[in-house]
Amino acid sequence: MGVPFEALIPGVIIIALGGVTGAGMSTIRAMQNGGKRGRHSVDQWDRVSCHPSSFNPPTFADLCELAKYDSHRTCPPACDTADEKLAVMERDRRLTGMLRGQTDNPKAPPGFELNNPWKLEDRFT
Amino acid sequence: MAARQPRFNQAVLIDTTPLPESIPKVEEVGASSAPLMSASYFIGARCKAYNDDYMMCKTEAHGRGEFECMKEGRKVTRCAASVIDDITKNCLQEFRNHWECLEDNNQQLWQCRKWEWNLNGCVFQKLGLEKKIPGAPEHETPVHLRRRQIYSQNEKGVIT
């Protein structure tokens, strides 16, 4: 005796909706990454916009100045893990307008050295 | 830097006041992360002395030295910009192929050896800069010159 087709309808619906979700998620991911493959395992170098205070001086200097290629003015503030930005990727965003944007200009556009944000906090009393 | 972790620091301030006239101007490097990654060993090859100078200044300032090391910092910036400038003038197509590949592969150098070899060859011919990995064992083939790849998602086995 054959299986009535009505018995298979729930399965078909489940598989079809799974496909819809997957297609939607991959579309959103592609849009977020500008059509490129996503970044993964993004490490401290890419992530740090602040420095853990336990770093020793060379690493500290390294992170402070060389990772933020544009800053001769200040070191980033100490880390707040809740509000981590992706420093190098954030710099890409400041250069190109997109977090995943890339450009190979040797010189930065005018004003770039001045649009580096400082983090603020309320004063402790 | 204070040891205290900042809290509630969602707000940012973008201070557009330019540096005072007494401080010499330097144009910042305009390349973003993937081109810098692609050019990094050539920047190292040409600018090693300036970079070491700067890091020594920072080390001797004991974690300070933002102001004292500005002169060395400007040299680092200018030198890096000059390398990017020379590469874009002489090897633009190879450079773009490589950094676009890097950008599409999580900026992992081993995914793009084919483009890297083209770029390395062009840069060595035109600019005389050679990629050398610092601290690599001398009796082995450096990792970027090995012909056999296991982990790359683009090229597996022997690359010709």
Side-chain angles (χ1 to χ4, degrees), chain B residues 47-95:
Chain B
C47 309
K48 186 169 189 301
Y50 299 113
N51 294 348
D52 286 351
D53 216 23
Y54 177 71
M55 295 310 285
M56 196 170 87
C57 176
K58 290 290 285 186
T59 308
E60 286 174 354
H62 297 294
R64 298 288 312 166
E66 292 89 356
F67 195 75
E68 294 81 356
C69 300
M70 286 178 85
K71 190 178 168 198
E72 286 81 1
R74 283 192 291 273
K75 288 181 186 170
V76 169
T77 307
R78 278 198 206 99
C79 182
S82 82
V83 175
I84 302 276
D85 194 31
D86 282 350
I87 294 177
T88 49
K89 275 182 187 146
N90 290 296
C91 302
L92 186 61
Q93 199 50 53
E94 289 87 349
F95 186 44

Side-chain angles (χ1 to χ4, degrees), chain B residues 96-113:
Chain B
R96 289 210 168 140
N97 285 342
H98 186 222
W99 69 250
E100 277 162 13
C101 172
L102 284 178
E103 179 60 9
D104 213 17
N105 288 285
N106 203 29
Q107 301 194 4
Q108 291 164 326
L109 289 168
W110 70 84
Q111 313 276 21
C112 303
R113 293 295 183 210

Side-chain angles (χ1 to χ4, degrees), chain A residues 7-83:
Chain A
L8 303 175
I9 289 175
V12 170
I13 290 174
I14 288 169
I15 291 168
L17 288 181
V20 169
T21 310
M25 297 291 273
S26 81
T27 309
I28 290 172
R29 194 166 157 77
M31 278 166 66
Q32 283 174 335
N33 286 300
K36 292 174 271 194
R37 284 186 207 151
R39 296 291 305 271
H40 58 84
S41 313
V42 177
D43 65 4
Q44 284 293 95
W45 175 265
D46 300 306
R47 186 179 295 134
V48 162
S49 65
C50 50
H51 66 84
S53 45
S54 59
F55 276 163
N56 53 11
T59 321
F60 165 86
D62 205 278
L63 282 170
C64 272
E65 299 293 337
L66 292 183
K68 295 166 68 74
Y69 306 94
D70 50 286
S71 171
H72 299 302
R73 305 182 73 183
T74 180
C75 280
C79 265
D80 180 10
T81 46
D83 189 31

Side-chain angles (χ1 to χ4, degrees), chain B residues 38 42 87 90-99 101 112-127 129 131 144-145 147 155 159-160:
Chain B
S38 170
F42 308 124
I87 294 177
N90 290 296
C91 302
L92 186 61
Q93 199 50 53
E94 289 87 349
F95 186 44
R96 289 210 168 140
N97 285 342
H98 186 222
W99 69 250
C101 172
C112 303
R113 293 295 183 210
K114 248 186 181 174
W115 303 120
E116 187 188 321
W117 291 337
N118 290 342
L119 177 65
N120 286 358
C122 175
V123 170
F124 185 68
Q125 275 185 359
K126 302 263 178 73
L127 306 176
L129 302 174
K131 170 171 174 174
H144 65 285
L145 296 178
R147 291 274 156 184
E155 311 277 348
I159 311 172
T160 50

